[in-house]
Amino acid sequence: MSIDAPWMRASRAAGLIGSDGTARPTIFAEMSALALEHDAVNLGQGFPDDDGPAPVLEAAVEAIRAGVNQYPPGRGVAELRQAIAEHQQRFYGLSVDPAREVLVTAGATEAIAASLLALAGPGDDVVTVEPYYDAYAAVIGLSGARHITIPLSEPGFQPSPDAIDAAITNRTAVIVLNSPHNPTGSILAPEHVERIVAAAARHDAVIVSDEVYEHLVFDGARHRPTASYAGAAERTLTVSSAAKTFNVTGWKIGWVTGPAELVDAVLGVKQWLTYVNGAPFQGAVARGLQLDDGFYDGLRATLQRRRDLLATGLVDAGFTIAPTAGSYFIVADGSPLGLTDAAASARALAVDPGVVAIPLSAFGLADAAGGASVVSASALRFAFCKPDHVIAEGVRRLQSLRR
Ligand SMILES: *Cc1c(COP(=O)(O)O)cnc(C)c1O
C-alpha cells in the first residue's frame, strides 16, 4: 500500500489523502476528539446540542412505525418536494415546480457535491469566496476543476468588486456562494451579489447558492436568496437543508431547487451517489417546513441571544471580534491576548482553559495547497449553536486568559 500507487492518484490530487497515505482527518474531527480528551467546552464543530421541534421528531418516529422504510422516489417524496416549493413561495415569493425544479438530497453536502460533479470538470474553474466551507474544496478537487477564490476582507468579510471581476472569467463553470456565511457569520451585501450575478451572466456560469443558514439571520434583517436577484433565477441552484433549521444534523435531508435542466443535471449525478436517502425523515422535514412563523421567529431569537452571550464573553476575555449577521459563528482574533497563531492556540486552548474553537485557516486555500492564504492566521471560529449554560461555561473559562 503506497501513497504513490496509481489508485491513490485521484485522492492525492484532491488533497484528501495525507502524506502518510491515510485519509486526512477533518479539523472538526481532530478538535472534537481533543474536546473529549480534555473535557473541554466544544465551541468548535457547528452542531446544535438541542433537539429539534417535537412535532418533527414525532413525525419521523411515526413514519418508521408506519412502515415508511424503503427506497423513496428518486427526486424525494412528493410531500417534501411540495413543502419545499411552498417554503420558497412563503418566505421569498419564489415559484418552483415541485415536480421538476426540486430535488431532495442526502444533506446540503450531497446537493453541493452532485452539483459540482455535474457541472464542473478538468479545464473548468469553480469560484468560491475565501474563507470557504471546507467541503467545497474537497469536491472541487475530486471534480478535477481548478479552485479559484474571491477573498473576503474585514471589516464585514466582504469581497472587493475588483476581486469579483478578476475571479470570474470564461473558464468559470460554477460560482459557489454561501450567505449567511460559514465560517465568518457575514451576509454578502446586495451590491456584491448583483455584481457576481452580472459576471455569471457575462460568462455563462452557474451559481450554486448554499443557503443552509437562511433562517439564522439576526437583528431584524431578512434572508434574501440569490435566486431572487434580477437575472439570477435562470442560472442559480439554491441549496438548503433541514440540519441547521430543525437541529437534525444527523438526518442528512437537504435539497436543491432551480431550473429544471440544472436540477436534472444534478439528479443525473446524485442518483449514482446515494440514489435516495432518509425515507422516514423526509415527511418529517415536510412537517417542519410547514411550522408556523412562531417557530422560525423563536429559532432566530434563541440563536441571536446565544450570539450575544458569546460575543460579550469573547470581548470580556480580551478577543477582538467581527460582527456576526447570521449563521452559527463568530470570528474572534486572539492577537490582543498574544494568541497570534490560531492553529497552535486552538490546540492549547482545548487543554487550558478547556475551550475548543476552530482556526480560521482551516477554511482557506493554504491548508490544502500550501500556498499563501488570505485568511488571518490569528483568527478563530467559535460556534454559538449551544445551550446558554454551555456558552456561559465556555465564556467563564475564557476569562482566565485575561491577566
Ligand atoms: C452544515 C453545512 C452544510 C452541510 O449541511 P448538511 O445538510 O448537514 O449536509 C453545508 N454548507 C454549509 C455552509 C454548512 O455550514
Side-chain angles (χ1 to χ4, degrees):
M1 306 278 266
S2 157
I3 178 72
D4 299 320
W7 41 262
M8 283 288 205
R9 201 180 300 128
S11 296
R12 220 170 46 233
L16 307 181
I17 297 286
S19 54
D20 61 352
T22 61
R24 193 194 282 267
T26 72
I27 183 80
F28 307 101
E30 187 189 341
M31 296 309 296
S32 289
L34 264 185
L36 267 182
E37 187 184 340
H38 297 285
D39 202 18
V41 176
N42 193 350
L43 305 182
Q45 198 166 10
F47 64 87
D49 289 6
D50 294 336
D51 236 336
V56 175
L57 303 186
E58 270 315 309
V61 173
E62 277 164 27
I64 290 174
R65 293 229 166 87
V68 185
N69 298 307
Q70 308 308 327
Y71 297 132
R75 287 177 186 266
V77 302
E79 184 193 354
L80 176 54
R81 283 184 284 118
Q82 180 69 36
I84 292 164
E86 282 167 8
H87 171 277
Q88 294 307 92
Q89 182 62 245
R90 167 181 164 195
F91 286 97
Y92 313 121
L94 292 171
S95 300
V96 297
D97 173 2
R100 302 279 327 273
E101 299 178 330
V102 179
L103 173 64
V104 177
T105 56
T109 305
E110 190 195 34
I112 292 157
S115 299
L116 292 176
L117 293 174
L119 302 171
D124 293 329
D125 285 353
V126 175
V127 176
T128 74
V129 297
E130 184 177 7
Y132 49 77
Y133 182 61
D134 56 349
Y136 306 155
V139 179
I140 294 167
L142 284 174
S143 78
R146 187 170 70 162
H147 187 179
I148 299 290
T149 66
I150 302 172
L152 298 181
S153 35
E154 294 192 78
F157 287 111
Q158 298 294 321
S160 81
D162 289 347
I164 291 172
D165 294 344
I168 301 168
T169 70
N170 281 331
R171 272 186 62 126
T172 306
V174 181
I175 302 157
V176 183
L177 296 183
N178 170 217
S179 180
H181 185 243
N182 177 4
T184 67
S186 65
I187 289 175
L188 202 52
E191 68 263 29
H192 299 313
V193 181
E194 283 163 7
R195 197 171 189 99
I196 290 165
V197 169
R202 212 159 48 237
H203 298 294
D204 202 20
V206 173
I207 299 170
V208 173
S209 189
D210 178 347
E211 304 184 6
V212 298
Y213 297 104
E214 60 186 316
H215 289 294
L216 298 177
V217 170
F218 308 128
D219 307 316
R222 286 285 153 159
H223 177 64
R224 182 162 172 208
T226 303
S228 71
Y229 283 77
E234 67 203 62
R235 59 181 64 258
T236 300
L237 285 167
T238 304
V239 172
S240 194
S241 155
K244 314 297 163 56
T245 301
F246 304 117
N247 289 359
V248 288
T249 58
W251 285 13
K252 298 303 288 190
I253 302 293
W255 51 88
V256 51
T257 59
E261 321 81 77
L262 289 177
V263 169
D264 274 6
V266 181
L267 173 61
V269 174
K270 179 263 181 321
Q271 64 191 353
W272 302 111
L273 293 175
T274 54
Y275 174 43
V276 291
N277 67 289
F281 302 121
Q282 292 198 18
V285 171
R287 230 5 243 292
L289 291 170
Q290 291 155 355
L291 289 172
D292 60 18
D293 290 353
F295 165 75
Y296 291 93
D297 294 344
L299 174 73
R300 215 171 13 248
T302 301
L303 270 292
Q304 180 169 322
R305 185 182 71 239
R306 292 174 178 171
R307 172 199 66 173
D308 293 343
L309 194 59
L310 179 59
T312 307
L314 286 169
V315 169
D316 287 349
F319 288 89
T320 308
I321 63 165
T324 285
S327 84
Y328 276 170
F329 309 108
I330 295 178
V331 171
D333 193 304
S335 313
L337 293 162
L339 305 173
T340 48
D341 176 351
S345 7
R347 290 183 179 88
L349 293 176
V351 181
D352 180 21
V355 177
V356 163
I358 305 288
L360 208 64
S361 56
F363 306 91
L365 263 187
D367 200 55
S373 178
V374 301
V375 180
S376 161
S378 54
L380 290 161
R381 189 198 77 172
F382 288 86
F384 52 82
C385 49
K386 306 288 168 185
D388 293 20
H389 71 92
V390 173
I391 298 173
E393 174 60 16
V395 158
R396 190 190 66 75
R397 294 185 183 193
L398 288 171
Q399 304 312 308
S400 70
L401 294 171
R402 171 152 258 172
R403 293 174 211 286

